[in-house]
Structure formats: C-alpha cells, structure tokens
Amino acid sequence: MRFITGLIWLFSVAVSAEPLLVEKQHFTLDSFTTESGQVIAPVNIGWEAYGKLNADKSNVILITHYFSGSSHAAGKYQQDDATAGYWDAIIGPGKAINTNKFYVISSDTLVNANVFDKNVITTGPATTNPATGKPYGLAFPVVTIGDFVEVQKALLDSLGINKLYAVIGPSMGSFQAIEWAVRYPERVQRLVPVIGGAFMDAYGAVKLERWAYPIKTDPAWHNGDYYDKGQPIQGLTTALAYITQDAVHPMGFNQRYPSPVNDKNAMQDIRASLSAWEQLMQHAKVRATYQDANHILYLVRASQLWRAGMADNWQQAVAGIKAKTLFLPASGDLLLPPAFSQHSADAMKKAGNTPQYAEIPGNWGHLDGLVNIQSVAPLIETFLNQP
Amino acid sequence: MRFITGLIWLFSVAVSAEPLLVEKQHFTLDSFTTESGQVIAPVNIGWEAYGKLNADKSNVILITHYFSGSSHAAGKYQQDDATAGYWDAIIGPGKAINTNKFYVISSDTLVNANVFDKNVITTGPATTNPATGKPYGLAFPVVTIGDFVEVQKALLDSLGINKLYAVIGPSMGSFQAIEWAVRYPERVQRLVPVIGGAFMDAYGAVKLERWAYPIKTDPAWHNGDYYDKGQPIQGLTTALAYITQDAVHPMGFNQRYPSPVNDKNAMQDIRASLSAWEQLMQHAKVRATYQDANHILYLVRASQLWRAGMADNWQQAVAGIKAKTLFLPASGDLLLPPAFSQHSADAMKKAGNTPQYAEIPGNWGHLDGLVNIQSVAPLIETFLNQP
C-alpha cells in the first residue's frame, strides 16, 4: 500500500475500528490483442473485491482506478496497515457504496504505475516478455483505455458477471468507466465519472507530455531499456513531482509547501534549489521506489489518446450510453477541470440522456476527487439507490 | 521585433494607418550593485519613449515589461514592421494611455530574455563580462525585481525624472510596478498591476522551476558555459514551449492546437510525438533563435524570489504604497490567477489604501493581459484621468 501513502501522504485517513479486510487476487488472460493490433500473452492483473456477490450476480459495482492508483480502492490487507484503500471513505459496510448490498470489484490496469508494489499485479514494459525472458521495455505495445476495459471485461466474464449495477472511477478511472458504458451499453446500468470526462484535449495531452519529458531526457532511460541498469530515477522522480503538483490546487499546495521567501541561498546562487521544489522531489522519490518510468510513459500515452469510443467522434460515442449517469468533477480541478465533465454531459444531453452533475468542493483541486470524496458520499448513495 | 511575433503569433494585430514611430535608445550605468551584493559594471539597457516630456516632467508613465517582453511596448521602428509593440492597442495618440498627453517610457530589464534580438539591449549572462572579455555565464549575479527597478530608477534619474504619473506593467511587469510603488511611495502617483500581484507563492515558484528544468538537464547547457559551443537549444525550446502553454488558457490553446484524435502514429509507437506538441515546439523554436537559455534561468529566479519589498513580509511592504491603484488580473489566468491580485489588494485595503479591481475577460488566460488589453482600455483611461 505504499502507493496510497505516496499519493495521499498529505492527509491522515480516518480509520474505522473494524477495517474491511481484503485480499489481492490474480487473474490471467492467456492472450490479449490490443487495440493497436498487438498480442500480449499472457496478461496478468490483480483484483480485489468487497462485499458479496448475490445469486443472480446483479449487485456488482466496478471501480476503475486513477493514473497513479491500483485496485486497492477500499479496506486493508491487514488490520495494522497504516492506510486503507483510496476510496475507503465511500466503500464499505453501510457506506455510500454499501458493501452490505453491493459486490464491489476493482482491478489493476495494464501498465499500472505501481508495478513494483507487492500488492499490485500488472503486465507492462517492466514485466517479463515470455518471448525473451526479459522485461518488454518499449517492445510492449501502446495500450489504450479501451484495452483496460477489455481486460476488465475478460475478468468479469471469467466470474460470470455480465451486468454492472454501476461503474464508478476517478480521473483515468472515469475514462474507463465511460468507455465501459460506451462499449457495453446494455451491461452498464449506472455510470459515475469522477474528476474526469469523455475525451482528452490538446492542452491536457501536452500537459501529459510534460510528465513524460523528464523521463525521456534522462540519460539513464536508455530508450526504455534500463532494466538491467537501474531506473532513470531522476527523470522518474521529476515526473512524479509534476504529477503531484498538477493534481493539486495552489490553495492546497501552498498550505503544504514552503514559500520561497525563506530560500536565502536562492538569491546568492542561481544553481540553488528552492525548498518547496526539494520537498516535492523528496515526496516523489518515495513513490519512485515502486513505480516504473516506462509504465508512466504508457499511462501518459493511454491518457493522451483517450476519447470515448476510441474513434474519431467521442460525442457520437457517448450518445450511445444507456446508463444513468452522475458526473462529479472537483470545483478547483486544474488537471481535468469541470469543463471536461460539462462538455461530456452536454454531448449526452444532446442525445437525449439526462446525466446528473455536481461538483466536489475543496482546496485540493483534482485530488479532491480522492481526499474529499466523502463530501459527495450522500449524492453517490442517493444516485445508487435510485431504481 | 521578433519577440513580439514570437509571443503573439496567435493574433493578427490591428495596425493603424499611421503607426507611432519609435527609436531604441541606450542607457549605460557605469556600475551597479545588486540586491545580492554583487557589482555589475557597466550595465547597459535599452529604452524607448512615446509622447513628449512636459516642462515640469510631471507627465511620465513608466511601462514595465513582462517575462518574455522588452521595452517595445508600443509603436513601430519602421513603417513596414509587421507588428507593433505589445500594448500598442492602449498606448498611442488618443489611446487609453494617451501619448498626446503623457510621456510614456519603457526600458529593457537586466537579463532580458531576448538578448539576441537586435532591438533589445540588456546585460546578463550572455553579455560580455569586461573582466574576462567573455560572456558572464553563471558568474553573473542573481538579480531581483528590486534590481530591475533600481536600474530603471537610474535611467529616470539620468533624465531628471523624479515623479511618475503612473507605473503600469503586465505579469513580471506588475511585479516591477508594485516594487516601484513600494520603494518610492512619494514618486509613484498611480499604479496599475496587470495580470500579476505583490508576491510569488510556492506553487508558482515550482511551476517556474519546471521552466528551468529542461534547460538545466540539457547536456548542451554545460552548467551555463555554452557560449563558445552553441545554445542548449532543445532545453531552451522546451522551456519556451512550457512558458507558452502556461500563459494560455485551455480554451485558447485548444483553438490553436490540434486534438490528439488524429495522431494515428501515437497508438502504434510509444516514441511518436503528438502533433500539438510538435507545433508548440516549432513555435518555441522561432523564439529560441533570439532568446538565451541562461537569461531564462535568471528571469525564472527573479520571478521565484519576488515579493513586494524583497524582505520577509510583502503585506507590510504594500501597506506603505501611496499610489492610487488599479489591479487588472485576467479572469482565465492560470499562471498568475486573479487570487494574486485579490490578496495583494486585500493587504493594501487593510492598510487603508483603496485599490480598484477589475478583470480582463477572454479565452486566452494570462495572455489576455496582452492580447485582450483593449477590453479594459476605457477603465485604464478613466483611472489615469482621475485627479
């Protein structure tokens, strides 16, 4: 669970007396053909579930994870884990996503960032290519949000689940949730895209490219072929620092990091670093120990290519969504601002759907979709309890 | 004027039939001691002026330029110049800053970005250190917004000007304008900080550090000592691309740059670039031909260290401002959002000042302070005509 510590290091997570205990499970797909036409064989991913599957398998809620996240959406692996899954505030017995009622399932995506976290199972550039016995590196095919969805579908098929009461996910998880509702409109009854939307724009895609840049320009990257030499740690750490800043609103950031006023060296030496930068990099360094630089590049690319339906017209794609939908952007989000949700909802409305819309308040911007999700718990609960 | 083309390449600037013709002038200060306690000898800077100085020298308006700007605030050097100075929409005969009435003066700062533009005169790492006969490189001292102001003051002193009817500047120019009003409250009668404020915060300082990063990590940077080898062109170009993106709101950016939907290669090859990124870099490359990488680092540092009064308490510093003040942030600004102006105005109000405040509308974010300044021209005119 180090990735949780890494991501929400800013917050002390309220821990209930009786944590939901969860277990990581392993799913293998012998062969998978990507959207780009390449074959990955086999695909391994991790998954976990909370609550009980009912007899007719009609109570399933799928949670799709964000860029830096994993399948650990709720609960703890052990009683004494320091933190619980990222949405533990809303997933559990009696909570908004009530595990007394629903069977909640979540899986690690392909190219998951936290590939070296012992609680994450994924397949990507850092995992072994059976053809060579070595890590794939950049021989791993480009994968898309659509591919993430297809792997999840294979997992659900293997469990005999062919209807989803709801799909809910934050950020890159909202992309997957929307893609589920687009590809399988008959299977998805409810859709809750949190801090996200149905497309990526040029501005966002370039911002993502800026996360990739420090990795690609780190001499230790070696064009992605570094697995016998050690990670491009400077590039990876810098990328993770950028990700943190871009996910946080200045209000929160300035609460957490020191003003440059006290950086006395900075006025004497142009090479001197600011303490805010140093601290941000130190926090990122912790996450860099269990994340992989190439995986970040692949997640960047999947996010850059994102548009509902993965074809030329995302508006047309979302027109086919049949799910009842609730968009939940965060008011202060500068990474995937509310406009993404609004444009997505507008396109659905044009097609006759009636998506609901509400904003998550807070000082943390994009990150409010994780750390302040409790504030919209009643909305989610009401939405899920509507027939 | 290439820097103007570079910065507002997005826009066709309306050209009046009879452009104001201006001439670059040269000011030399034999020796200057920086805030960091170093001596620069001599300092050379360029300046230009529009309108006529009246007999008692009481009609002077100082325009302080932005990060990527220069003293060319208005007019043309030659009738057939493709574009005019950056605020030509509001500076000129009969315009909001009426040169029939005011003597408008503007100077290049120290470490001006456009050091290789023939119309810019500045002193910085890329200019010759008389002690060695070679460019200063990183031996050039760190300079501050306070230093920019002191050099301007020396210029004005040399012209016998000791009162400013107004100081007006956008972005980093707003920092200088505020510092003028803080250091010389008796000299500055009116103050118009446009798209800026009285301090830099941790969030902004780290964002600025991200502009420096591609330069510092470019192997061709050679720790700032590249003048006999050629610029770190990749790092500089990347920095300039980031600056452009950060100065533009997504609405404007997405109008100008292509969506990733058509980037077919990007799905086949993880190394393939996005066309939006390529175009942004191509635009930046043009500017890189007349800007200097080290100068960007020094401007970044000056901006990171900015706080009114350059001491520990900017609120106390602005409490001493006597100038009538009008803050003009841009509504969609993501680089120096309206909150900077609001906090600055609040601190002045606490001290009994009564700053005015209005927002510049538009789709271009921070850049609206340049390209959409016409929209607040009547406000500026009214403000300047108040007794």
Side-chain angles (χ1 to χ4, degrees):
Chain A
M1 271 178 323
R2 284 166 301 172
F3 67 93
I4 292 297
T5 325
L7 251 170
I8 48 177
W9 40 261
L10 306 139
F11 307 89
S12 49
V13 173
V15 176
S16 61
E18 296 270 337
L20 187 71
L21 285 184
V22 297
E23 215 180 331
K24 185 68 57 175
Q25 306 198 57
H26 189 140
F27 172 66
T28 298
L29 187 57
D30 291 337
S31 176
F32 176 72
T33 302
T34 66
E35 190 141 10
S36 56
Q38 308 293 307
V39 175
I40 311 169
V43 161
N44 291 291
I45 58 161
W47 63 283
E48 47 192 78
Y50 330 105
K52 266 197 170 160
L53 188 59
N54 65 7
D56 62 357
K57 302 183 176 179
S58 64
N59 70 334
V60 180
I61 294 182
L62 175 69
I63 306 292
T64 46
H65 72 69
Y66 56 99
F67 191 100
S68 310
S70 78
S71 55
H72 195 42
K76 296 185 163 195
Y77 299 116
Q78 275 156 0
Q79 292 276 1
D80 60 353
D81 284 350
T83 55
Y86 64 89
W87 264 359
D88 195 71
I90 54 166
I91 301 171
K95 297 182 183 175
I97 302 173
N98 190 349
T99 53
N100 292 333
K101 187 172 169 184
F102 298 113
Y103 180 66
V104 181
I105 184 167
S106 184
S107 67
D108 299 322
T109 63
L110 291 166
V111 303
N112 185 287
N114 313 283
V115 56
F116 304 123
D117 185 312
K118 69 177 169 50
N119 289 311
V120 168
I121 304 164
T122 187
T123 305
T127 64
T128 303
N129 179 353
T132 64
K134 293 180 179 175
Y136 281 98
L138 300 199
F140 199 79
V142 171
V143 286
T144 67
I145 299 299
D147 290 324
F148 297 175
V149 165
E150 293 305 327
V151 171
Q152 283 156 358
K153 179 171 172 288
L155 165 63
L156 295 180
D157 284 348
S158 79
L159 300 170
I161 295 166
N162 53 34
K163 237 182 182 71
L164 291 170
Y165 188 87
V167 189
I168 309 177
S171 195
M172 191 185 78
S174 79
F175 305 167
Q176 298 163 65
I178 291 170
E179 191 64 3
W180 258 102
V182 164
R183 294 197 177 203
Y184 303 105
E186 307 298 342
R187 287 186 179 219
V188 178
Q189 297 171 315
R190 287 167 198 78
L191 166 65
V192 187
V194 178
I195 52 170
F199 62 100
M200 181 54 59
D201 62 0
Y203 184 89
V206 168
K207 221 165 169 178
L208 286 159
E209 193 62 37
R210 290 167 66 169
W211 297 356
Y213 188 88
I215 292 173
K216 290 186 186 170
T217 54
D218 186 334
W221 181 55
H222 295 294
N223 214 21
D225 184 19
Y226 52 76
Y227 292 102
D228 56 351
K229 307 174 189 81
Q231 287 238 55
I233 196 74
Q234 172 66 20
L236 174 59
T237 305
T238 306
L240 300 182
Y242 291 178
I243 293 171
T244 297
Q245 180 174 37
D246 288 344
V248 173
H249 189 275
M251 275 191 292
F253 194 92
N254 292 329
Q255 280 171 35
R256 181 66 191 75
Y257 292 102
S259 147
V261 165
N262 296 316
D263 286 316
K264 305 297 181 199
N265 283 345
M267 201 185 285
Q268 294 302 328
D269 181 0
I270 191 75
R271 294 175 201 80
S273 237
L274 302 185
S275 46
W277 172 266
E278 288 299 319
Q279 288 183 26
L280 185 67
M281 287 290 280
Q282 270 163 30
H283 294 143
K285 204 168 242 175
V286 177
R287 279 180 289 151
T289 59
Y290 50 89
Q291 297 201 353
D292 177 72
N294 283 336
H295 280 228
I296 297 295
L297 299 184
Y298 278 74
L299 287 168
V300 159
R301 179 51 50 92
S303 302
Q304 288 174 324
L305 292 174
W306 162 239
R307 63 267 189 179
M310 293 306 303
D312 291 346
N313 191 330
W314 66 264
Q315 290 95 335
Q316 203 170 61
V318 299
I321 292 176
K322 298 196 171 170
K324 289 189 179 68
T325 303
L326 168 63
F327 284 97
L328 292 173
S331 299
D333 193 341
L334 297 172
L335 185 58
L336 294 170
F340 280 93
S341 290
Q342 288 157 9
H343 293 324
S344 306
D346 288 347
M348 288 176 69
K349 279 179 199 160
K350 268 198 183 161
N353 202 317
T354 54
Q356 298 173 49
Y357 176 98
E359 292 189 7
I360 305 169
N363 287 345
W364 292 96
H366 191 66
L367 208 52
D368 278 319
L370 301 182
V371 300
N372 203 18
I373 193 68
Q374 181 61 45
S375 67
V376 290
L379 284 178
I380 295 171
E381 190 170 5
T382 303
F383 177 78
L384 290 178
N385 289 332
Q386 281 162 3
Chain B
M1 273 179 320
R2 284 166 300 173
F3 68 92
I4 293 296
T5 325
L7 251 171
I8 47 176
W9 39 261
L10 305 140
F11 307 89
S12 47
V13 174
V15 176
S16 61
E18 297 269 335
L20 187 70
L21 284 184
V22 298
E23 215 180 331
K24 184 68 57 173
Q25 306 197 57
H26 189 140
F27 171 65
T28 299
L29 187 57
D30 290 340
S31 176
F32 176 74
T33 303
T34 66
E35 190 142 10
S36 57
Q38 307 294 308
V39 175
I40 311 170
V43 162
N44 292 292
I45 57 159
W47 62 283
E48 49 191 78
Y50 330 104
K52 266 195 172 164
L53 187 60
N54 63 8
D56 63 354
K57 301 182 176 180
S58 64
N59 70 333
V60 180
I61 294 182
L62 176 68
I63 306 292
T64 46
H65 72 68
Y66 55 99
F67 190 100
S68 309
S70 77
S71 56
H72 196 41
K76 295 186 163 193
Y77 300 115
Q78 276 156 1
Q79 292 277 2
D80 59 352
D81 285 352
T83 55
Y86 64 89
W87 263 0
D88 195 71
I90 55 165
I91 301 171
K95 297 182 181 174
I97 302 174
N98 189 348
T99 52
N100 293 332
K101 188 173 169 184
F102 298 114
Y103 180 66
V104 180
I105 185 167
S106 185
S107 66
D108 298 322
T109 63
L110 292 165
V111 303
N112 184 287
N114 312 282
V115 56
F116 304 124
D117 185 312
K118 71 177 165 54
N119 290 310
V120 168
I121 304 164
T122 188
T123 305
T127 64
T128 303
N129 179 353
T132 64
K134 293 180 179 173
Y136 281 98
L138 299 199
F140 199 79
V142 171
V143 287
T144 68
I145 299 298
D147 290 324
F148 296 175
V149 165
E150 294 304 329
V151 172
Q152 283 156 359
K153 180 171 171 288
L155 165 63
L156 295 181
D157 285 348
S158 79
L159 299 170
I161 294 166
N162 53 34
K163 238 184 180 66
L164 289 171
Y165 189 88
V167 189
I168 309 177
S171 194
M172 191 185 77
S174 79
F175 304 168
Q176 297 165 64
I178 290 169
E179 191 64 2
W180 259 102
V182 164
R183 294 197 178 204
Y184 303 105
E186 307 298 341
R187 289 189 179 217
V188 177
Q189 298 171 315
R190 287 166 196 79
L191 167 64
V192 187
V194 179
I195 51 171
F199 62 100
M200 181 54 59
D201 62 359
Y203 183 89
V206 168
K207 222 166 169 177
L208 285 159
E209 194 62 36
R210 290 166 66 169
W211 297 355
Y213 188 87
I215 292 173
K216 290 186 185 170
T217 54
D218 186 334
W221 181 57
H222 294 295
N223 213 21
D225 184 19
Y226 52 76
Y227 293 102
D228 55 352
K229 307 175 190 79
Q231 288 236 56
I233 197 72
Q234 171 67 18
L236 174 59
T237 304
T238 306
L240 300 183
Y242 292 178
I243 293 172
T244 297
Q245 180 174 39
D246 288 344
V248 173
H249 189 276
M251 274 191 293
F253 194 92
N254 291 329
Q255 279 169 36
R256 182 63 189 78
Y257 292 102
S259 147
V261 164
N262 296 315
D263 286 317
K264 305 298 181 198
N265 282 345
M267 201 185 285
Q268 293 304 328
D269 181 1
I270 190 76
R271 295 174 200 81
S273 237
L274 302 185
S275 45
W277 172 265
E278 288 298 320
Q279 288 183 25
L280 185 67
M281 287 290 278
Q282 271 164 29
H283 293 144
K285 204 169 242 175
V286 177
R287 279 180 290 151
T289 59
Y290 51 88
Q291 298 202 352
D292 177 72
N294 283 337
H295 281 227
I296 297 295
L297 299 183
Y298 278 74
L299 287 168
V300 159
R301 179 50 51 90
S303 302
Q304 287 174 325
L305 292 174
W306 162 240
R307 63 270 190 175
M310 293 306 302
D312 291 347
N313 190 329
W314 65 264
Q315 290 95 334
Q316 204 169 60
V318 299
I321 292 177
K322 297 196 170 170
K324 290 189 178 69
T325 303
L326 169 63
F327 284 97
L328 291 174
S331 300
D333 193 341
L334 298 172
L335 184 58
L336 294 170
F340 280 94
S341 290
Q342 289 156 11
H343 293 323
S344 307
D346 287 347
M348 289 175 68
K349 279 180 200 160
K350 270 197 183 162
N353 201 318
T354 54
Q356 298 173 49
Y357 176 98
E359 293 188 6
I360 304 169
N363 286 345
W364 292 96
H366 192 64
L367 208 52
D368 279 318
L370 301 181
V371 301
N372 204 18
I373 193 67
Q374 181 61 46
S375 66
V376 289
L379 285 178
I380 295 172
E381 190 170 6
T382 302
F383 178 77
L384 291 178
N385 290 331
Q386 282 163 2

